[in-house]
Amino acid sequence: MKILIVGSGGREHAIAWKVSQSPLAEKIYCAPGNAGIAEVAECVDIGAMEFDKLASFAKEKAIDLTIIGMDDPLVGGIVDVFEAQGLRVFGPRKNAAILEGSKAFSKDLMKKYHIPTAAYETFDDPRKAEEYLKTAKFPIVLKADGLALGKGVLICNTLEEALEGVKTIMLDKKFGSAGNHMVIEEFMTGREVSVLSFVDGKTIKTMASAQDHKRAKDGDQGLNTGGMGNFSPTPFYTKEVDDFCRKYIFQPTVDAMAAEGREFKGVIFFGLMLTPEGPKVLEYNARFGDPEAQVVLPRMENDMVEVVEACIDGRLDQIDLKFKEDAAVCVVLASDGYPVSYEKGLPIRGLENFKGKDGYYVFHAGTKFGPEGQVLTNGGRVLGVTALGKDLKEARKNAYEAVDWVDFDNKYYRHDIGKAIDEA
């Protein structure tokens, strides 16, 4: 099979790496890709939002399967464009990707179908939002309705902070059009865990659990980012929690989307909060998480292409998803200053140290080739260093050991990824 992957981050590198292991994959392309993806796929200079160009390329190269990695093209309707041209594609259609594309939609869906989540209100008028906040209980959470690169969430401890947050989201438009509408919801306490799942419209098969670290600095301080690292599995996601989520969250979400005429095929990412009252949904994503994919896919034993094909064909019930007993930890290496401002174009040294090292992976998030073929930094999150181990503590030790194998100027990373393991 000829396979096209759309995207350019660490998630897409992990997908491309996993797909490359399938005997079904004869040739892999990635648009636009990055310097790491180029090791397993031919990178094509077409942007992820250039739907017509991508579809034309897929037809020209007789692509058998396209896998959409990123949220923007999914929410923008790339699957609809491909399907209209008779192309086989993995991911939700536009009317299903709204599950991630609009927080107001997803909150209303959960409310209608009694899926556990935080109490909330939605606003499209900043003045009404401000009036509501004057009667609210703090801390409270403000969320830009649309896509905001994982950064459109503000936790406010005081009324002053919340009013400033409304200004930031709805008036200053820090997150662009994502802030045209806003969700204000109660602040939930507990452990935050992630569960990715494959969905074929009716059947859902969950992958191994993971736990993310969103804040930029150690001790969960600093600004929200796209993710500074994570680990899988999380010891806090017990069988009891899994049983509850399967019954009251996972299948009900798939059924709710079908009932709304929005059949979902692809990957649903469940962001969960394990509250004292039980698990509740923090958010949905309509694709693999990043960097969650970088710890979950190295543990997955199945052929990725076979699973994706089953989702498209509606026969996921015939797939037995299996994961290694080994644990995985990913530490994100970022450019100092991320997520605000940072330098690009810095040479990366030591990537060759990962060659031939079983159980150690370096996934490229923001990299490019320089004029002489040298790999350079090209983003805030630059690399995801992932390592396996017989348990989480060993995987964490291995990951931090591997962090020292690679270097670039202004390299920054958190030193406490997976530290919660010690509290389990």
Side-chain angles (χ1 to χ4, degrees):
M1 292 175 68
K2 294 180 183 177
I3 298 171
L4 170 64
I5 297 164
V6 176
S8 61
R11 165 185 47 225
E12 286 76 35
H13 190 183
I15 292 170
W17 166 80
K18 186 66 177 171
V19 167
S20 72
Q21 296 175 351
S22 171
L24 298 170
E26 300 165 26
K27 173 74 176 179
I28 305 171
Y29 297 93
C30 188
N34 63 38
I37 294 172
E39 293 185 2
V40 293
E42 181 180 328
C43 292
V44 183
D45 189 19
I46 305 175
M49 297 301 289
E50 296 182 283
F51 299 172
D52 291 335
K53 284 186 180 180
L54 288 166
S56 295
F57 175 83
K59 287 197 286 190
E60 175 194 332
K61 296 292 184 181
I63 298 294
D64 299 295
L65 170 67
T66 299
I67 298 173
I68 312 300
M70 297 174 66
D71 46 5
D72 283 339
L74 287 169
V75 171
I78 190 171
V79 170
D80 305 67
V81 171
F82 270 57
E83 287 185 343
Q85 299 191 42
L87 294 164
R88 192 168 172 81
V89 58
F90 176 69
R93 298 184 184 112
K94 184 175 183 176
N95 76 339
I98 193 175
L99 192 65
E100 175 173 9
S102 170
K103 292 181 178 64
F105 169 84
S106 65
K107 294 293 288 189
D108 289 346
L109 184 85
M110 288 184 270
K111 185 176 188 178
K112 180 176 179 180
Y113 291 92
H114 310 292
I115 296 166
T117 190
Y120 72 99
E121 296 289 342
T122 59
F123 298 89
D124 54 17
D125 182 338
R127 287 178 294 279
K128 289 183 179 177
E130 290 167 352
E131 287 304 311
Y132 172 77
L133 286 167
K134 290 174 184 175
T135 65
K137 178 184 174 185
F138 291 87
I140 204 162
V141 182
L142 311 186
K143 295 182 176 182
D145 178 54
L147 300 179
L149 299 174
K151 301 167 194 167
V153 178
L154 304 176
I155 298 171
C156 304
N157 293 303
T158 65
L159 175 60
E160 291 71 25
E161 285 182 23
L163 294 175
E164 184 62 29
V166 173
K167 180 176 180 292
T168 297
I169 293 173
M170 300 195 78
L171 297 174
D172 297 344
K173 289 288 194 285
K174 181 179 178 182
F175 308 109
S177 61
N180 290 346
H181 304 275
M182 186 174 71
V183 173
I184 300 178
E185 67 177 34
E186 69 168 322
F187 177 77
M188 294 189 290
T189 58
R191 296 282 181 185
E192 188 175 340
V193 302
S194 307
V195 178
L196 309 181
S197 61
F198 289 107
V199 183
D200 71 355
K202 56 184 184 299
T203 298
I204 181 168
K205 294 285 178 104
T206 57
M207 300 178 228
S209 64
Q211 193 163 329
D212 195 14
H213 298 67
K214 282 284 188 191
R215 298 284 186 165
K217 299 184 182 299
D218 287 359
D220 289 326
Q221 301 298 307
L223 296 172
N224 256 351
T225 71
M228 292 299 294
N230 53 27
F231 58 91
S232 174
T234 169
F236 306 105
Y237 188 78
T238 62
K239 185 182 185 305
E240 181 183 39
V241 170
D242 182 61
D243 289 344
F244 178 93
C245 291
R246 288 177 188 279
K247 184 175 181 180
Y248 296 106
I249 295 175
F250 300 155
Q251 191 66 50
T253 297
V254 177
D255 294 343
M257 290 296 284
E260 293 292 310
R262 299 174 183 269
E263 180 187 58
F264 193 105
K265 290 188 176 185
V267 171
I268 298 181
F269 171 125
F270 294 90
L272 306 171
M273 182 70 83
L274 308 185
T275 76
E277 297 84 41
K280 295 183 180 182
V281 178
L282 268 176
E283 64 173 353
Y284 295 115
N285 291 326
R287 36 72 190 178
F288 277 102
D290 187 353
E292 284 86 356
Q294 298 171 48
V295 290
V296 172
L297 290 180
R299 296 187 60 221
M300 191 170 95
E301 295 180 344
N302 302 73
D303 183 317
M304 174 87 167
V305 178
E306 287 184 354
V307 177
V308 164
E309 293 264 272
C311 288
I312 295 171
D313 293 336
R315 48 182 176 81
L316 186 60
D317 59 335
Q318 299 171 26
I319 297 288
D320 182 17
L321 271 190
K322 293 183 178 178
F323 290 83
K324 296 176 183 176
E325 290 295 321
D326 290 349
V329 171
C330 173
V331 180
V332 168
L333 306 186
S335 286
D336 197 17
Y338 172 75
V340 181
S341 61
Y342 43 85
E343 197 173 349
K344 294 182 182 180
L346 302 170
I348 301 174
R349 303 173 290 274
L351 290 168
E352 68 280 358
N353 292 326
F354 287 85
K355 301 285 187 190
K357 296 279 200 326
D358 193 35
Y360 293 87
Y361 314 93
V362 58
F363 295 112
H364 293 226
T367 66
K368 65 178 180 180
F369 287 113
E372 297 177 11
Q374 186 172 16
V375 180
L376 307 176
T377 67
N378 191 41
R381 292 188 296 174
V382 179
L383 302 169
V385 173
T386 298
L388 300 180
K390 67 178 186 296
D391 55 29
L392 285 165
K393 289 184 179 180
E394 183 177 275
R396 184 171 186 260
K397 173 180 165 291
N398 292 344
Y400 275 104
E401 175 187 307
V403 160
D404 292 332
W405 298 353
V406 64
D407 196 27
F408 52 89
D409 291 351
N410 298 333
K411 180 175 91 171
Y412 172 79
Y413 59 94
R414 280 183 55 165
H415 298 80
D416 61 346
I417 302 301
K419 196 173 179 184
I421 297 164
D422 301 330
E423 303 165 24

